[in-house]
């Protein structure tokens, strides 16, 4: 059994929501389920178009691959197709020039979570191992500040308020080629997957994310509470949350 809940909000400052969330507990092509969060980049219309169009192309490509069964190859080819189409449109239409989007996509196959990531939208795993509650960031942020943290030039605490923390180093659609990170995680009953845009993680620290989710009596309550808390803390960007529980 599986359940999911997604929510997105434009926040307190932005006039347009450039985030996009997609969740299907039912098969999409050969994938038994599919969950995606995308955070658009670009001007007033471009970011909105980039995120929604990329996820649209992703779904279409997945459904086209009738013979491929490997989930990693399916998602890789679908993201590459999305990258190509967003790249093309950004060069064909002036109003979309320079657009791109982050993307974190996941599917659960036989209790294994397969994750693909481009940009700084994140996927976390909330688990309970031997009575110890943990939250673990599965994905790696593709951002200038995150690279500095990984090489020891900055602490994670210092990175939270760095003026260039939103400068990402990878995105779907900004170049004619895209580099994608892949991860796989064995899931146990009760594990919760949290996918989100940086509009959430810039407003709440990891421990707060865990506390809010675990205090809620349902995934819907948890998702709505996370969005509300991020808005209460400033809501400086669009906020997107997607929760999945085995």
């Amino acid at each position: 059994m599986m359940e999911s809940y997604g929510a997105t909000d434009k926040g307190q400052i932005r006039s347009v929501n450039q985030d996009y969330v997609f969740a299907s507990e039912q098969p999409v092509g050969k994938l038994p389920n599919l969950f995606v969060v995308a955070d658009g980049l670009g001007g007033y219309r471009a970011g909105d178009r980039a995120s929604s169009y990329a996820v649209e192309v992703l779904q279409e490509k997945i459904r086209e691959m009738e013979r491929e069964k490997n989930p990693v190859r399916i998602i890789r080819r679908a993201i590459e197709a999305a990258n190509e189409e967003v790249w093309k449109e950004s060069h064909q239409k002036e109003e979309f020039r320079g657009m791109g989007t982050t993307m974190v996509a996941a599917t659960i196959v036989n209790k294994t979570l397969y994750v693909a990531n481009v940009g700084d939208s994140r996927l976390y795993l909330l688990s309970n191992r031997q009575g110890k509650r943990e939250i673990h960031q599965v994905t790696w942020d593709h951002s200038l500040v995150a690279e500095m943290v990984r090489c020891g030039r900055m602490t994670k605490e210092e990175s939270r308020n760095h003026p260039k923390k939103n400068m990402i180093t990878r995105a779907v659609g900004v170049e004619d080629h895209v580099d994608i990170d892949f991860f796989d995680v064995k899931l146990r009953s009760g594990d919760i997957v949290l996918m989100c845009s940086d509009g959430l993680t810039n407003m709440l620290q990891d421990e707060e994310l865990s506390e809010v989710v675990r205090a809620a009596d349902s995934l819907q309550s948890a998702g709505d509470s996370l969005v509300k808390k991020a808005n209460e803390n400033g809501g400086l960007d669009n906020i997107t949350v997607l929760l999945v529980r085995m």
Side-chain angles (χ1 to χ4, degrees), residues 3-4 97 111 129 144 160 178 211 238:
E3 60 175 327
S4 66
R97 187 166 299 278
K111 297 185 179 180
R129 300 290 190 265
L144 179 65
R160 291 191 61 82
V178 63
E211 289 173 3
N238 305 147

Side-chain angles (χ1 to χ4, degrees), residues 2 31 50 52 58 76 79 85 101 136 140 162 169 174 181 185 188 190 209 212 216 219 243:
M2 180 188 303
L31 297 181
S52 59
L58 178 89
R76 179 187 296 280
I79 293 178
E85 292 304 316
T101 183
H136 169 62
W140 286 15
H162 195 279
T169 55
V174 297
D181 281 355
V185 181
R188 299 182 185 181
L209 299 176
V212 171
L219 291 190
L243 293 158

Side-chain angles (χ1 to χ4, degrees), residues 2 24-35 62 69 71 74 106-112 114:
M2 180 188 303
S24 176
E25 298 167 31
Q26 304 304 314
V28 178
K30 292 297 183 181
L31 297 181
N33 46 72
L34 180 64
F35 307 98
I62 290 172
K69 296 181 179 180
I74 291 172
T107 187
I108 300 172
V109 183
N110 296 327
K111 297 185 179 180
T112 297
Y114 295 94

Side-chain angles (χ1 to χ4, degrees), residues 201-240:
T201 53
N202 284 340
M203 297 293 100
L204 282 81
Q205 297 190 31
D206 291 2
E207 295 74 17
E208 293 177 286
L209 299 176
S210 179
E211 289 173 3
V212 171
V213 173
R214 296 185 190 283
D217 57 8
S218 68
L219 291 190
Q220 180 173 346
S221 175
D224 292 344
S225 294
L226 287 171
V227 171
K228 181 180 178 183
K229 185 72 172 176
N231 274 320
E232 289 174 348
N233 288 355
L236 301 181
D237 199 351
N238 305 147
I239 306 156
T240 296

Side-chain angles (χ1 to χ4, degrees), residues 158-225:
E158 290 171 338
S159 72
R160 291 191 61 82
N161 298 311
H162 195 279
K164 295 184 178 180
K165 66 180 179 180
N166 294 323
M167 185 178 293
I168 65 174
T169 55
R170 295 190 208 174
V172 172
V174 297
E175 297 180 359
D176 59 359
H177 171 77
V178 63
D179 291 323
I180 311 164
D181 281 355
F182 286 89
F183 310 86
D184 59 85
V185 181
K186 290 291 185 181
L187 298 179
R188 299 182 185 181
S189 179
D191 284 350
I192 298 176
V193 175
L194 166 61
M195 301 166 67
C196 58
S197 63
D198 66 346
L200 178 70
T201 53
N202 284 340
M203 297 293 100
L204 282 81
Q205 297 190 31
D206 291 2
E207 295 74 17
E208 293 177 286
L209 299 176
S210 179
E211 289 173 3
V212 171
V213 173
R214 296 185 190 283
D217 57 8
S218 68
L219 291 190
Q220 180 173 346
S221 175
D224 292 344
S225 294

Side-chain angles (χ1 to χ4, degrees), residues 44-63:
Y44 183 79
R45 293 183 59 193
D48 179 29
R49 173 59 175 169
S51 59
S52 59
Y53 186 43
V55 177
E56 176 187 323
V57 174
L58 178 89
Q59 295 176 63
E60 290 177 356
K61 186 64 176 179
I62 290 172
R63 292 189 173 99

Side-chain angles (χ1 to χ4, degrees), residues 14 17-20 37-43 46-52 98-103 121 168 171-172 197-198 237-238:
R14 302 293 179 90
N17 191 348
Q18 297 184 326
D19 286 1
Y20 194 87
V37 168
D39 180 357
L41 319 167
D48 179 29
R49 173 59 175 169
S51 59
S52 59
M99 73 176 178
T101 183
T102 70
M103 183 177 286
S121 293
I168 65 174
V172 172
S197 63
D198 66 346
D237 199 351
N238 305 147

